[in-house]
């Protein structure tokens, strides 16, 4: 925000005001004194220029509240609030329940907490009395509507147990105020107590012992007294500091040259536009960063898998050396290695020795091939990751227009099925295309929009995961292609960090869903099961 400034006005002109980083206790007290002089006061309906701005029209002027963290504010103004835009649910509740006259406005000590009391309304549609608690506490700023029993009727920003385990704010709970504190009230404390509290402290630390003073008033106090904010206060400094403090307490707004008048609403709207655009762009950039980091992690895992290729080939060579022997089909076999050391191998009992050797040769070849493909992609992925991180770091340097243009480009990106490919696409052995859903909507689209009756459908067994589809195109799908797709199904599931993961597969014609089932949920039958190690991204033709 811009620094606080004082502005003069001519007759009939609307004064302008910029709000500093926070409203401080003495400034709030001064505003409330002006408000109390007119209480009780008849009021008109609430006005909400935006979801974070609350304007209460009074008989003369209006009371304004801002709760956008970290810059909340409160001011009594003479003009009429403009017509509002979109409302929050809490604003609609406030308009329906806080309908009586404003009868009281109380401040908790000199804290940034104010309670506005509204009278009951009799008549055809009676309304009981309510209180609006205004907490102008920086990043925790909030509005809480409570009844006479201090039960919360509604809250602008709900605070759950995950946000604050000591103090929750939600409809139906009993309102608990912020924790109490002990500080000297500079309006009533004797000079001796004030001097004792300030002596030996830095001027910048006075707000820890004197109520109602924050960074803005501390700076004004330093300027009016001519003291260094970081210098310790001694007896000599007290001679200048005490009179300056008394003047600050008597006229806080005048001391900081702050005219209590309307905020620059156009500036607030510009800031809101910038915030919304920045959040959208930043969210998309972090999504891309997370995806690129996962893809680079897949390359690291491909390197680890490739380290086993030499062992797999050596085991295959040993099995081929015994190809002429009449070895029985078994799940485990013990052979004498080329170096004379006994080697125990786990085999597929359904296959003979040569076939088991061929499986190992294929595994070694595929692991080396995946690593070679991954290494070719690594420089491009690292470059894109560096670009995304630099873009996040440079968001603050972009203009509002540039941020909105980038956010608009994200909104204009084609939706799934309208230019954007559905799911991840991989090229499997023997040239088959394999599709992997990235979310529940894509899972449904892959299975029921793109899947044909003779395609092979796969899903990890017992875990949440992606739907995987081998597009058969009326061809017979080889078993090693099914193993390839099953590894992807395991890799894109909650079992991605496990080994020997069971994956079910069946023809697409055996997959169906019942009306009312959520996205991604299906029934299937006639499935078979294979056990594979998870693979996330051997090489994607479409990212």
């Amino acid at each position: 925000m811009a620094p606080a400034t004082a502005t003069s006005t001519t007759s009939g002109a609307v004064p302008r005001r910029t709000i500093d980083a926070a409203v401080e206790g003495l400034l709030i007290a001064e505003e409330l004194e002006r408000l109390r002089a007119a209480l009780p006061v008849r009021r008109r309906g609430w006005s909400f220029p935006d979801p974070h701005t609350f304007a209460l029209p009074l008989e003369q002027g209006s009371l304004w509240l801002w709760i956008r963290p970290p810059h909340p504010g409160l001011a009594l103004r003479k003009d009429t609030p403009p017509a509002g835009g979109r409302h929050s649910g809490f604003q609609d509740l406030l308009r329906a329940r806080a309908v009586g006259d404003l009868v009281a406005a109380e401040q908790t000590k000199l804290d940034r907490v104010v309670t506005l009391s509204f009278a009951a309304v009799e008549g055809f549609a009676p309304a009981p009395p309510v209180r609006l608690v205004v907490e102008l506490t920086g990043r925790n700023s909030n509005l809480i509507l409570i009844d006479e029993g201090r039960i919360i009727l509604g809250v602008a920003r709900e605070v759950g147990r995950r946000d604050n385990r000591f103090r929750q704010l939600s409809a139906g709970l009993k309102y608990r105020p912020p924790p109490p504190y002990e500080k000297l009230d500079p309006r009533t404390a004797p000079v001796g107590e004030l001097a004792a509290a300030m002596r030996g402290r830095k001027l910048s630390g006075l707000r820890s012992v004197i109520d109602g003073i924050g960074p803005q008033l501390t700076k004004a106090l330093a300027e009016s007294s001519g003291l260094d904010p970081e210098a310790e206060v001694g007896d000599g400094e007290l001679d200048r500091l005490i009179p300056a403090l008394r003047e600050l307490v008597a006229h806080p707004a005048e001391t900081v040259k702050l005219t209590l008048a309307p905020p620059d609403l156009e500036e607030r709207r510009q800031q809101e536009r910038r915030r919304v655009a920045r959040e959208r762009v930043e969210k998309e950039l972090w999504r891309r960063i997370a995806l690129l980091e996962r893809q680079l992690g897949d390359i690291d895992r491909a390197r680890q898998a490739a380290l086993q290729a030499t062992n797999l080939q050596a085991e295959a060579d040993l099995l081929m050396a015994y190809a002429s022997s009449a070895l029985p089909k078994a799940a485990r076999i013990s052979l004498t290695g080329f170096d004379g050391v006994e080697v125990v191998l786990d085999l597929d009992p359904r296959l003979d020795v040569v076939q088991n050797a061929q499986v190992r040769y294929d595994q070694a070849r595929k692991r080396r091939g995946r690593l070679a493909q991954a290494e070719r992609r690594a420089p491009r992925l690292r470059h894109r990751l560096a670009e995304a991180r630099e873009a996040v770091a440079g968001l603050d340097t972009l203009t509002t227009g540039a941020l909105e243009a980038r956010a608009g480009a994200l909104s204009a990106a084609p939706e799934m099925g309208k230019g954007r490919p559905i799911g991840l696409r991989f090229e499997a052995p023997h040239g088959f295309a394999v599709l992997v859903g990235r979310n529940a909507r894509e899972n449904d689209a892959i299975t029921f929009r793109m899947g044909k009756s003779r395609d092979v459908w796969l899903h990890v067994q017992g875990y949440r995961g992606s739907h995987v589809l081998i597009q058969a195109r009326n061809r017979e799908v080889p078993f090693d292609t099914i193993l390839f797709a099953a590894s992807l199904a395991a890799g894109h599931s909650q079992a991605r960090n496990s080994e020997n993961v069971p994956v079910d597969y069946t023809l697409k014609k055996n997959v169906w869903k019942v009306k009312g089932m959520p996205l991604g949920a299906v029934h299937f039958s006639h499935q078979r099961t294979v056990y594979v190690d998870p693979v996330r991204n051997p090489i994607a033709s479409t990212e």
Side-chain angles (χ1 to χ4, degrees):
M1 299 292 291
T5 59
T7 58
S8 60
T9 61
T10 58
S11 177
V14 177
R16 293 165 62 87
R17 173 195 181 205
T18 56
I19 303 298
D20 249 356
V23 172
E24 300 174 12
L26 281 170
L27 295 171
I28 294 175
E30 190 173 38
E31 286 288 77
L32 293 182
E33 283 184 16
R34 298 176 56 212
L35 178 61
R36 290 193 199 98
L39 297 181
V41 60
R42 295 179 61 83
R43 48 163 294 269
R44 291 169 287 166
W46 287 90
S47 179
F48 308 115
D50 62 59
H52 310 283
T53 304
F54 300 72
L56 180 64
L58 307 172
E59 287 183 337
Q60 295 181 352
S62 53
L63 177 65
W64 285 70
L65 308 170
W66 301 277
I67 60 166
R68 160 68 69 187
H71 306 299
L74 175 150
L76 194 60
R77 294 170 41 176
K78 295 182 179 180
D79 64 321
T80 302
R86 58 189 179 91
H87 299 163
S88 67
F90 177 75
Q91 288 174 329
D92 291 334
L93 174 68
L94 200 59
R95 177 172 284 168
R97 300 296 296 270
V99 294
D101 294 342
L102 180 60
V103 295
E106 302 296 333
Q107 184 180 12
T108 304
K109 295 184 177 181
L110 284 176
D111 199 2
R112 294 169 294 172
V113 178
V114 174
T115 301
L116 304 176
S117 298
F118 296 88
V121 173
E122 307 294 339
F124 179 75
V130 293
R131 299 175 187 174
L132 179 63
V133 181
V134 184
E135 297 183 355
L136 303 174
T137 48
R139 295 188 180 277
N140 297 317
S141 57
N142 212 338
L143 295 181
I144 306 100
L145 188 65
I146 62 177
D147 63 15
E148 288 190 301
R150 303 184 68 81
I151 300 300
I152 298 176
L153 303 174
V155 59
R157 289 192 314 109
E158 287 202 355
V159 179
R161 186 170 296 275
R162 290 185 178 181
D163 305 308
N164 188 330
R165 59 176 178 159
F166 301 107
R167 181 172 181 258
Q168 289 82 54
L169 298 173
S170 183
L173 300 179
K174 192 175 184 67
Y175 172 71
R176 295 176 58 189
Y181 61 84
E182 291 297 330
K183 296 181 183 180
L184 291 177
D185 188 331
R187 302 169 300 181
T188 59
V191 173
E193 290 187 20
L194 290 172
M198 293 187 290
R199 184 180 290 109
R201 292 181 179 272
K202 292 182 180 180
L203 183 60
S204 59
L206 294 187
R207 55 185 174 176
S208 64
V209 293
I210 298 179
D211 202 6
I213 295 179
Q216 185 179 3
L217 292 178
T218 299
K219 182 179 179 181
L221 188 59
E223 292 176 354
S224 61
S225 64
L227 299 177
D228 181 356
E230 297 305 315
E232 289 189 359
V233 176
D235 290 337
E237 288 78 15
L238 284 172
D239 293 338
R240 288 184 289 171
L241 186 56
I242 293 295
L245 178 60
R246 290 301 191 194
E247 179 64 22
L248 179 70
V249 170
H251 307 288
E254 183 179 337
T255 304
V256 296
K257 303 183 184 304
L258 181 62
T259 301
L260 296 175
D264 187 345
L265 293 181
E266 181 58 30
E267 180 184 347
R268 284 181 173 269
R269 292 190 184 99
Q270 292 294 333
Q271 290 174 345
E272 179 68 8
R273 284 176 51 198
R274 179 178 179 83
R275 183 193 66 80
V276 170
R278 191 187 191 283
E279 285 183 356
R280 291 179 58 194
V281 174
E282 186 174 23
K283 180 179 179 180
E284 172 62 19
L285 286 173
W286 280 114
R287 187 195 69 80
R288 293 181 183 179
I289 287 172
L291 175 61
L292 291 166
E293 287 177 340
R294 288 197 301 269
Q295 291 175 333
L296 287 170
D298 291 338
I299 293 174
D300 291 335
R301 284 184 284 275
R303 292 192 185 102
Q304 295 298 320
L307 294 176
Q308 302 300 319
T310 301
N311 292 337
L312 288 170
Q313 183 163 341
E315 292 177 359
D317 291 342
L318 182 60
L319 288 171
M320 290 301 295
Y322 285 87
S324 59
S325 303
L327 296 177
K329 292 184 177 181
R332 176 169 292 186
I333 191 171
S334 178
L335 301 174
T336 301
F338 298 116
D339 55 1
V341 178
E342 184 179 10
V343 178
V344 178
L345 300 178
D346 291 323
L347 304 178
D348 186 339
R350 297 170 298 178
L351 307 178
D352 59 26
V353 172
V354 174
Q355 289 172 324
N356 271 288
Q358 188 59 48
V359 169
R360 280 169 165 77
Y361 282 133
D362 290 343
Q363 289 176 344
R365 175 180 53 79
K366 285 189 288 186
R367 292 190 182 199
R368 291 187 178 115
R370 290 168 187 166
L371 178 60
Q373 293 173 334
E375 294 289 6
R376 287 195 293 270
R377 297 179 64 237
R380 180 167 57 90
L381 292 176
R382 293 193 188 97
H383 178 69
R384 291 173 57 191
L385 180 60
E387 284 185 334
R389 287 173 173 165
E390 289 176 4
V392 170
L395 286 179
D396 288 336
T397 65
L398 297 179
T399 64
T400 300
L403 287 169
E404 289 182 331
R406 188 155 188 175
L410 296 175
S411 299
E415 298 179 0
M416 185 185 70
K418 298 181 180 180
R420 174 184 175 185
I422 300 176
L424 296 171
R425 294 168 178 259
F426 299 87
E427 183 177 348
H430 307 287
F432 287 85
V434 178
L435 306 182
V436 179
R438 290 172 288 196
N439 51 52
R441 188 176 297 277
E442 286 193 346
N443 285 343
D444 260 22
I446 284 173
T447 301
F448 298 109
R449 282 174 47 188
M450 305 188 68
K452 307 300 181 183
S453 61
R454 298 294 300 175
D455 290 346
V456 179
W457 182 90
L458 306 94
H459 194 279
V460 68
Q461 185 183 104
Y463 294 90
R464 295 173 63 88
S466 298
H467 291 197
V468 177
L469 189 77
I470 303 173
Q471 293 185 308
R473 304 193 185 281
N474 293 320
R475 294 179 292 168
E476 190 70 26
V477 178
F479 186 65
D480 54 350
T481 299
I482 292 176
L483 292 176
F484 175 88
S487 296
L488 289 173
H492 291 81
S493 74
Q494 291 179 335
R496 65 176 65 93
N497 296 319
S498 303
E499 296 181 354
N500 206 30
V501 178
V503 176
D504 293 330
Y505 68 96
T506 187
L507 294 179
K508 162 34 185 81
K509 67 179 182 179
N510 298 324
V511 183
W512 74 97
K513 69 185 308 173
V514 178
K515 183 177 180 180
M517 292 179 69
L519 286 173
V522 298
H523 295 300
F524 57 93
S525 63
H526 298 87
Q527 70 272 19
R528 295 183 179 180
T529 305
V530 293
Y531 291 81
V532 295
D533 291 333
V535 173
R536 280 191 61 83
N537 203 3
I539 185 71
S541 58
T542 299
E543 297 174 3

